[in-house]
Amino acid sequence: MVKVTMIARATDGLPLAEGLDDGREQREVEVYKQQAKALFKRLSQGLPQASRMSIETGPFFFHYIVEGGVCYLTLCERSYPKKLAFQYLEELQREFEKVNRSQIETVARPYYFIKFDTFIQKTRKQYLDTHTQRNIDRLNDDLIEVQQIMTRNIQDVLGTGEKLDHLTQVSSRLSTESSAYAKKAKQLSQQALLRKWAPIAIIVLVVVMVFYARRLFYS
């Protein structure tokens, strides 16, 4: 299962977008989000140099690709097929570049592309069940080759100076960023619902008022 999805600029590690979770697993994955952000920083320093890699971390694997100066990363359970994980990332990469290419190098605010969460969540749902016909077809696609993608351990990649005890020292700042991101996404979701249902509510109200007025008039 896909647990976390994050997108960052490869040149400086700036977080650009994130697939928001529903809150039920937030504590479980928070330490892995910290690892992901540390990994983005390492990538911005040119380490590791591979543009595609799988990284073992506890009971999970990070999978990432770097394309067009952007790192697309997901955290998956060990049992989740590697081929599906990379196809998922490639699908995100194609859409993200198509929609945001002109702004990627110039933005300075973290999570500037907050609205991309909608596409992340929609795409993630398509990849959750590995037994759907669509995902079976993806697994059988011989054109997708992942056997040559390197697999390493998280501590080998981050180095001894980035162990978890150090990462927890910056958890307060990271949690603040994540909370602000989640709050903004919730506001956008509420605004979208309001735009969708407000016209219908107004029409229903007008119909009720007309019906009530006619009853008063004819009574």
Side-chain angles (χ1 to χ4, degrees):
M1 178 182 292
V2 176
K3 308 288 283 186
V4 174
T5 304
M6 302 177 72
I7 301 174
R9 193 162 55 198
T11 54
D12 58 6
L14 181 73
L16 301 176
E18 179 178 323
L20 295 174
D21 53 50
D22 59 9
R24 290 176 296 181
E25 300 177 336
Q26 188 169 356
R27 289 185 179 180
E28 177 188 357
V29 302
E30 186 61 34
V31 66
Y32 298 104
K33 288 183 179 181
Q34 296 175 29
Q35 287 184 348
K37 292 180 180 182
L39 177 59
F40 290 147
K41 287 298 183 182
R42 295 289 285 177
L43 286 167
S44 70
Q45 298 166 1
L47 297 170
Q49 296 180 342
S51 62
R52 292 171 179 248
M53 184 178 288
S54 295
I55 302 172
E56 181 182 9
T57 175
F60 303 108
F61 271 97
F62 282 122
H63 304 287
Y64 78 77
I65 64 174
V66 179
E67 295 285 348
V70 177
C71 180
Y72 305 84
L73 177 145
T74 188
L75 178 75
C76 302
E77 294 174 340
R78 280 178 172 269
S79 60
Y80 192 79
K82 190 174 182 179
K83 180 177 282 190
L84 282 184
F86 280 96
Q87 289 186 75
Y88 167 66
L89 293 174
E90 288 170 357
E91 194 164 339
L92 295 183
Q93 178 260 323
R94 288 191 295 269
E95 181 67 15
F96 191 81
E97 278 200 0
K98 183 175 72 174
V99 176
N100 303 308
R101 179 181 301 175
S102 63
Q103 298 176 284
I104 291 173
E105 295 183 0
T106 58
V107 298
R109 189 174 73 247
Y111 302 110
Y112 183 85
F113 303 106
I114 185 173
K115 294 182 180 180
F116 195 70
D117 168 67
T118 302
F119 183 82
I120 293 175
Q121 295 296 351
K122 182 181 72 173
T123 308
R124 176 178 176 270
K125 288 178 181 178
Q126 297 175 6
Y127 282 84
L128 287 180
D129 186 354
T130 60
H131 297 100
T132 64
Q133 187 59 51
R134 177 183 293 182
N135 284 333
I136 291 173
D137 292 341
R138 286 170 173 149
L139 288 170
N140 292 331
D141 187 352
D142 293 334
L143 297 178
I144 307 297
E145 180 56 62
V146 297
Q147 298 301 320
Q148 303 304 316
I149 294 177
M150 185 185 303
T151 299
R152 295 182 63 184
N153 181 273
I154 188 67
Q155 295 301 336
D156 293 337
V157 175
L158 295 184
T160 56
E162 292 287 357
K163 292 185 183 294
L164 294 183
D165 57 346
H166 171 72
L167 294 175
T168 54
Q169 295 176 11
V170 297
S171 62
S172 177
R173 178 177 58 83
L174 297 175
S175 297
T176 300
E177 291 179 1
S178 297
S179 297
Y181 181 68
K183 183 178 180 181
K184 183 63 175 178
K186 184 177 181 180
Q187 291 174 350
L188 289 172
S189 178
Q190 292 173 342
Q191 292 171 8
L193 286 174
L194 184 62
R195 287 194 299 269
K196 179 179 179 180
W197 295 109
I200 298 175
I202 292 172
I203 292 172
V204 171
L205 180 61
V206 170
V207 170
V208 171
M209 291 177 65
V210 170
F211 179 75
Y212 182 70
R214 292 185 63 183
R215 288 194 62 183
L216 289 178
F217 180 77
Y218 288 110
S219 61

